[in-house]
Amino acid sequence: MPQPRLSMRKIRETLRLAAQGISQRQVALSVGVARATVGDCLARARTAGLSWPLPADLDDAALEALLYPPQPHSSQARPLPDCATLHKELRRKGVTLLLLWQEYKAAHPDGVQYSRFCEIYRAWEGRIDPVLRQQHRPGDKLFVDYAGVTVDVVDKRNGEIRPAQIFVASLGYSNYTYCEATWSQKAEDWVASHVRALSFFGGVPVAIVPDNLKSGVTTPHRYDPVINPAYAEFAAHYDTTILPARPRKPRDKAKVETAVQIVERQILAPLRKRTFFSLAELNAAIAQGRKTLNDKPFQKLDGCRASWFAAETLVMKPLPPMAYEFATWKTATVHMDYHIDVGRHYYSVPHTLIRKKVEVRLTSRTLEIFFRGRRVASHVRSATKGGYTTVDAHRPDKHREHLDQYHQHLLRRAEAVGAHTVGVLRSQMLSRRHPDQAVRNCKGILRLADDYSPAQLEAACQQALALNSTSYRSIAALIRNPNPPQTHLSLSLPSHDNLRGPGYYN
């Protein structure tokens, strides 16, 4: 490889000192270069017809062109690589400059060597793709992504190995970093990691910059991406903005790209020889490495991530009073009986929405139903398959009147049997089941008076109310077996000198 050229400043200084009659050895010592380099510089100046003082209008570029004229024969003898083609090929996964150079040399054995090949491409790339250095304000942006590596967790029971995903979040200004392990990259784990990250930071940034992961961005787009509804709802809850990185533009989230690399090298790599038997155990080890990373002094700046983060805490927005609870959304059609099917359980909707499509928001405990953005119903979630959860106000008036009249009819029949039978029927009518199911159960219970006798039914209903078990099956079983055998386990203590009696504690 040829020696690097002298800077134009040193060339001018060499020519100035040589013009004063100073020897080449002394010039070399003064400028800080080899004596041979001084001789080469003076020889090039004589060839170019230059002498000191140089013309006033001769700038550094013109001086370099005179001293180091291009060698046309070298470019003609060696075919140069097509940089536009290289740039296109490098976008393909797994393609490197070394691979492209090997293919280039196979096609052009007399071509340039690898170092010159890279130099040519880097110079071309620098002209077409200048980089804008991003300036980050305190509390402005949080960059999030998953690491490219996973960590294995071993199940103690069966030895099954399950990979854990590593979530990474880094603040733009301080580089203060949060990371944790989760079982998946699905929307529920994705949003839950965000919630824990904001809790760790103790505040909310103005914007969050994710990659185009499906859990966060339903439809990636350069100008108008579609955000996952649960992710958008999370952002609204914390009063922040989601700014997805542009597709295939990693520089949009360069902060977290660097943070991911640092987490992989400084936190995960030291754990590679450890065996983890639970996600909690893995996260405890990650938390230790995370603290060490955030407290580690910067190499080129004063302080550390933690000290810089102190400035961000002053300007970040406060956390809301309640943490966001993850919710999923689905679309449902209102059936003719003004109920929707969610997980094989049926929830009522105002009867005016029959055959309409509604949006359903599901959390672990509640279910909310929206029509055209307006909430029209809410219920507590039920795990009963085939059951009904119905609000009486959702029925048409004529249905309520019919059910009320029929309920009164059934209660009058129960009064002829006894007060306990009336109590059982009222319990059925006030249960969580659909009124039609309650009517069916009530009719079945009254039928038992015909199958057995009113006295037997009344006695069974009395026991059922005492046991708080008023279903048809329970009452039928009590009629067939009114006095179920009860087994009592009698325990007696042996006589022993070491046993303490009740007086011991007085």
Side-chain angles (χ1 to χ4, degrees):
M1 179 183 293
Q3 294 182 352
R5 298 176 181 177
L6 287 177
S7 66
M8 293 300 104
R9 181 186 61 79
K10 288 189 175 183
I11 288 176
R12 291 177 183 272
E13 182 66 7
T14 298
L15 296 178
R16 184 184 70 83
L17 294 175
Q20 296 178 4
I22 300 175
S23 68
Q24 292 187 12
R25 183 184 300 276
Q26 291 176 323
V27 172
L29 291 173
S30 176
V31 177
V33 299
R35 180 180 176 184
T37 303
V38 173
D40 178 71
C41 176
L42 297 177
R44 288 179 177 274
R46 288 193 297 270
T47 302
L50 295 174
S51 61
W52 191 265
L54 297 174
D57 58 348
L58 186 65
D59 58 14
D60 286 351
L63 177 59
E64 183 178 16
L66 290 173
L67 295 178
Y68 300 95
Q71 304 294 327
H73 65 278
S74 61
S75 60
Q76 293 173 359
R78 296 185 176 186
L80 298 179
D82 183 355
C83 293
T85 302
L86 298 180
H87 188 68
K88 182 178 179 181
E89 288 295 315
L90 283 171
R91 293 186 177 183
R92 302 175 64 176
K93 190 173 182 179
V95 178
T96 64
L97 274 174
L98 178 60
L99 174 62
L100 294 175
W101 174 76
Q102 291 171 344
E103 295 175 349
Y104 160 79
K105 285 292 284 185
H108 307 284
D110 58 341
V112 299
Q113 297 305 310
Y114 180 62
S115 59
R116 179 59 180 158
F117 181 88
C118 294
E119 182 182 342
I120 292 172
Y121 174 72
R122 296 302 182 198
W124 180 87
E125 183 188 35
R127 292 196 301 270
I128 62 118
D129 194 17
V131 177
L132 173 65
R133 180 171 293 277
Q134 300 183 43
Q135 300 294 329
H136 298 285
R137 301 188 305 273
D140 184 34
K141 290 180 181 177
L142 174 68
F143 297 82
V144 294
D145 202 358
Y146 281 102
V149 300
T150 58
V151 180
D152 291 338
V153 177
V154 181
D155 191 329
K156 283 185 177 180
R157 296 169 298 179
N158 53 24
E160 180 184 356
I161 298 176
R162 186 176 180 184
Q165 308 294 325
I166 307 300
F167 173 83
V168 180
S170 181
L171 288 166
Y173 173 75
S174 64
N175 296 303
Y176 199 63
T177 300
Y178 174 81
C179 52
E180 69 169 20
T182 61
W183 284 129
S184 74
Q185 297 185 14
K186 294 180 180 178
E188 186 169 1
D189 281 333
W190 169 254
V191 174
S193 291
H194 280 67
V195 172
R196 288 187 287 269
L198 294 184
S199 177
F200 173 78
F201 295 129
V204 182
V206 176
I208 299 176
V209 182
D211 198 359
N212 288 279
L213 182 73
K214 205 71 174 179
S215 298
V217 183
T218 304
T219 305
H221 194 275
R222 184 182 181 91
Y223 305 108
D224 189 21
V226 179
I227 308 300
N228 184 298
Y231 197 30
E233 187 179 37
F234 153 82
H237 181 84
Y238 284 95
D239 191 23
T240 188
T241 303
I242 305 298
L243 295 176
R246 294 170 296 172
R248 297 180 296 278
K249 295 292 183 181
R251 287 174 182 165
D252 285 2
K253 55 182 181 65
K255 279 284 182 179
V256 75
E257 294 283 348
T258 303
V260 163
Q261 187 181 74
I262 292 173
V263 166
E264 291 176 349
R265 293 178 178 178
Q266 300 189 26
I267 298 180
L268 301 183
L271 303 177
R272 69 190 184 281
K273 296 182 180 180
R274 290 183 56 179
T275 301
F276 299 97
F277 297 100
S278 69
L279 201 64
E281 183 183 351
L282 172 57
N283 275 320
I286 290 176
Q288 292 179 355
R290 185 177 65 211
K291 186 178 188 311
T292 302
L293 171 64
N294 287 324
D295 292 339
K296 183 178 180 180
F298 289 127
Q299 292 184 352
K300 299 181 180 180
L301 298 172
D302 295 332
C304 61
R305 289 173 172 81
S307 62
W308 281 55
F309 172 68
E312 291 204 90
T313 58
L314 302 176
V315 296
M316 293 175 72
K317 291 182 287 187
L319 293 169
M322 297 291 293
Y324 173 75
E325 183 178 9
F326 178 80
T328 57
W329 291 78
K330 65 170 292 183
T331 302
T333 301
V334 182
H335 298 172
M336 289 299 295
D337 64 351
Y338 42 88
H339 285 73
I340 60 172
D341 178 2
V342 179
R344 307 308 301 166
H345 189 90
Y346 301 91
Y347 300 89
S348 68
V349 180
H351 67 89
T352 54
L353 299 177
I354 289 175
R355 292 184 177 177
K356 303 288 187 182
K357 287 190 177 297
V358 294
E359 291 183 312
V360 185
R361 180 181 182 269
L362 301 165
T363 69
S364 59
R365 294 171 294 178
T366 61
L367 175 147
E368 296 175 283
I369 304 167
F370 293 82
F371 180 68
R372 294 180 179 175
R374 182 174 62 89
R375 191 175 74 171
V376 295
S378 63
H379 301 279
V380 176
R381 290 193 69 174
S382 173
T384 305
K385 303 293 183 182
Y388 285 79
T389 298
T390 308
V391 175
D392 190 62
H394 292 165
R395 298 192 188 94
D397 292 339
K398 60 181 181 180
H399 286 198
R400 289 201 298 272
E401 293 172 1
H402 170 74
L403 289 172
D404 289 344
Q405 291 174 5
Y406 202 73
H407 287 174
Q408 294 300 321
H409 169 70
L410 294 173
L411 290 174
R412 284 194 296 270
R413 287 180 56 188
E415 287 173 358
V417 178
H420 296 105
T421 304
V422 173
V424 166
L425 263 61
R426 289 189 183 279
S427 174
Q428 285 293 310
M429 293 173 183
L430 296 174
S431 68
R432 293 182 297 164
R433 294 181 179 274
H434 190 274
D436 290 343
Q437 287 187 321
V439 167
R440 184 181 302 177
N441 288 339
C442 290
K443 290 172 67 176
I445 292 170
L446 291 174
R447 176 64 183 269
L448 293 173
D450 299 331
D451 294 342
Y452 297 94
S453 70
Q456 287 176 291
L457 174 59
E458 177 67 9
C461 288
Q462 182 177 4
Q463 285 185 277
L465 290 171
L467 297 172
N468 195 26
S469 179
T470 59
S471 68
Y472 168 82
R473 292 181 182 274
S474 297
I475 295 172
L478 290 170
I479 290 178
R480 289 191 296 268
N481 188 11
N483 297 306
Q486 297 182 356
T487 59
H488 298 280
L489 183 62
S490 177
L491 298 177
S492 60
L493 294 175
S495 177
H496 196 280
D497 294 339
N498 292 333
L499 292 177
R500 300 170 181 173
Y504 177 85
Y505 297 98
N506 292 334

